[in-house]
């Protein structure tokens, strides 16, 4: 198969060109905030109700997937996760939390690793500190 566009993986210019290519991706969203680091994209929204958060995240995620398609990129929905952050009391009061995109309901997690830091749904450092204590740092 002949590759008609792109740069070789591992090239010096690859990361810089990719960042320039996706520079306007945050403009595709309306309600959420976007954080980009290399090829990782994090979108988040703070709202007063779970239904508002679900709605805004779903809408903006659909916009991001559309932007990606227009720019010949894809989103790996199987690697895309959602997490609701709050106090134990507020999280226990939530009956359901579901974000759907591309006719797929995303997996809800209570922890995820982002840029080497383990985030927990109550913003506790216990999971991260525990994992760091198990590593051989030397």
């Amino acid at each position: 198969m002949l590759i008609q566009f792109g740069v070789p993986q591992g090239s010096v210019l690859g990361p810089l060109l990719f960042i320039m290519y996706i520079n306007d991706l945050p403009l595709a969203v309306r309600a959420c905030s976007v954080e980009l680091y290399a090829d990782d994209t994090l979108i988040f929204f703070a709202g007063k109700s779970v239904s508002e958060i679900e709605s805004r995240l779903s809408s903006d995620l659909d916009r991001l997937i559309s932007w990606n398609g227009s720019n010949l990129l894809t989103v790996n929905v199987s690697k895309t996760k959602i997490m609701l952050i709050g106090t134990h009391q507020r999280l226990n009061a939530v009956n359901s939390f579901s974000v759907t995109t591309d006719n797929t309901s995303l997996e809800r997690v209570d922890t995820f690793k982002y840029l080497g830091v383990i985030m927990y749904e109550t913003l506790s450092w216990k999971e991260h500190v525990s994992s760091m204590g198990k590593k051989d740092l030397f």
Side-chain angles (χ1 to χ4, degrees):
M1 171 181 240
L2 177 65
I3 297 176
Q4 298 177 1
F5 52 88
V7 295
Q9 188 170 355
S11 70
V12 175
L13 282 177
L16 176 62
L17 292 173
F18 182 76
I19 290 169
M20 290 171 54
Y21 189 70
I22 66 164
N23 188 51
D24 64 336
L25 181 139
L27 300 175
V29 301
R30 294 207 174 111
C32 296
S33 298
V34 179
E35 292 293 327
L36 299 172
Y37 185 83
D39 63 347
D40 285 334
T41 303
L42 176 72
I43 68 169
F44 54 97
F45 180 79
K48 295 186 185 266
S49 70
V50 171
S51 61
E52 178 188 17
I53 295 169
E54 288 172 329
S55 172
R56 300 294 173 100
L57 284 173
S58 292
S59 295
D60 277 350
L61 193 52
D62 285 339
R63 286 184 188 93
L64 284 178
I65 288 174
S66 176
W67 183 94
N68 276 285
S70 297
N71 288 279
L72 306 174
L73 298 170
T74 59
V75 173
N76 188 340
V77 178
S78 68
K79 285 186 171 182
T80 305
K81 310 294 183 212
I82 57 170
M83 185 166 74
L84 187 61
I85 295 174
T87 63
H88 285 292
Q89 295 82 4
R90 287 193 174 192
L91 292 171
N92 288 336
V94 174
N95 294 327
S96 70
F97 178 67
S98 175
V99 174
T100 304
T101 189
D102 236 11
N103 295 322
T104 303
S105 186
L106 301 179
E107 178 187 356
R108 181 179 174 188
V109 296
D110 59 5
T111 61
F112 78 95
K113 192 177 210 178
Y114 184 66
L115 303 179
V117 177
I118 298 174
M119 306 290 290
Y120 186 66
E121 65 186 350
T122 60
L123 296 182
S124 163
W125 288 101
K126 184 178 179 182
E127 298 286 334
H128 181 73
V129 170
S130 175
S131 74
M132 294 307 291
K134 295 175 185 173
K135 283 188 175 181
D136 183 16
L137 298 177
F138 300 101

